[in-house]
Amino acid sequence: IVDLYGEAIKLGEIADRISLGLRVESVEENVSSTQSNEYPNPIFLGSEIERYGPLAPQSYFDFEGGSIIGGTRDPEVYDHTPKILLQSIRNLSLERRLVPVVDEEGYHFGGNVVGILLKEEVELDAHYLQAVIASNLINQFFRHRFTTISLTSTFLSEIPIRDIEFTTDADEREAHVSTLIDAYKAARAENADPAATLDATTDHLD
């Protein structure tokens, strides 16, 4: 842990806000699986957040007229892009504690999801930040240091983020990324299950 902090800054130092999403009075009554005039706004619930997964709306609600009983109501939190979304509740029996995904569309998210908004002056790419948070190293760090089911802003703020100064030229980095993409596509072709694909490429990602 000392070595991690010695080469990094804390997530809390570069985040403008780390915020839980909104809580509706009743998911059954206030959220629909079909978008309509009554349920116009996509919202992501915790079960719909997957590590590196695509954000494809599955749930909808009415931000203006729906029954919101808690959580963040500030529309700027939801409109902000890009931002990192994570499941905010993870069972301690799960090996994977951190499940981040990048939101580039400005979606709403529920109270069992936490959103990380970076400060405007921060130059770190959101996808780099996602990769760091999703890495096995940071997952093990978090898993052993914070032994509660809730991923609070206080805990998440302590995640060490290394700011890398690349020593390789851009062409070499681009070629390496291209290799990783090819590895992912090959694994995806062999596995219909996205989770299996991710498992097959985790070593490359880390």
Side-chain angles (χ1 to χ4, degrees):
I1 292 177
V2 173
D3 288 341
L4 286 178
Y5 281 130
E7 299 291 337
I9 56 176
K10 293 182 180 181
L11 179 58
E13 297 176 41
I14 60 175
D16 180 47
R17 296 178 70 170
I18 301 178
S19 177
L20 286 173
L22 57 87
R23 289 173 51 221
V24 297
E25 184 174 8
S26 167
V27 172
E28 289 75 17
E29 295 181 8
N30 300 118
V31 177
S32 172
S33 60
T34 304
Q35 190 173 30
S36 63
N37 291 334
E38 187 178 0
Y39 302 100
N41 307 114
I43 182 172
F44 281 89
L45 309 177
S47 60
E48 299 164 355
I49 301 296
E50 298 180 5
R51 179 172 171 249
Y52 289 118
L55 282 176
Q58 304 173 46
S59 302
Y60 304 87
F61 82 122
D62 183 1
F63 183 68
E64 296 297 332
S67 182
I68 300 172
I69 60 173
T72 303
R73 297 171 182 263
D74 186 353
E76 291 186 3
V77 170
Y78 304 109
D79 292 340
H80 186 96
T81 57
K83 59 179 175 283
I84 306 291
L85 301 181
L86 302 95
Q87 293 182 7
S88 64
I89 303 292
R90 294 287 289 176
N91 193 300
L92 293 178
S93 65
L94 296 173
E95 180 73 20
R96 180 65 56 181
R97 297 299 313 285
L98 300 171
V99 183
V101 64
V102 175
D103 170 17
E104 299 184 280
E105 301 298 328
Y107 289 122
H108 293 85
F109 52 95
N112 53 358
V113 177
V114 60
I116 301 172
L117 287 62
L118 295 181
K119 295 177 180 177
E120 289 186 6
E121 64 270 20
V122 172
E123 297 181 355
L124 288 179
D125 184 272
H127 292 277
Y128 167 71
L129 179 61
Q130 174 191 221
V132 172
I133 296 173
S135 69
N136 287 336
L137 174 63
I138 295 302
N139 184 71
Q140 289 302 314
F141 159 84
F142 194 91
R143 183 167 172 263
H144 289 287
R145 183 164 184 193
F146 303 112
T147 54
T148 66
I149 64 171
S150 299
L151 278 65
T152 68
S153 59
T154 300
F155 297 160
L156 292 170
S157 292
E158 293 296 311
I159 292 177
I161 307 293
R162 185 170 183 176
D163 189 3
I164 295 177
E165 294 185 8
F166 290 104
T167 57
T168 54
D169 60 43
D171 289 342
E172 184 177 345
R173 297 200 304 273
E174 185 175 343
H176 181 59
V177 170
S178 178
T179 300
L180 297 182
I181 292 173
D182 289 343
Y184 177 84
K185 288 181 177 179
R188 186 71 182 92
E190 296 175 5
N191 297 290
D193 181 5
T197 302
L198 187 56
D199 289 341
T201 54
T202 291
D203 289 342
H204 294 289
L205 291 167
D206 280 353

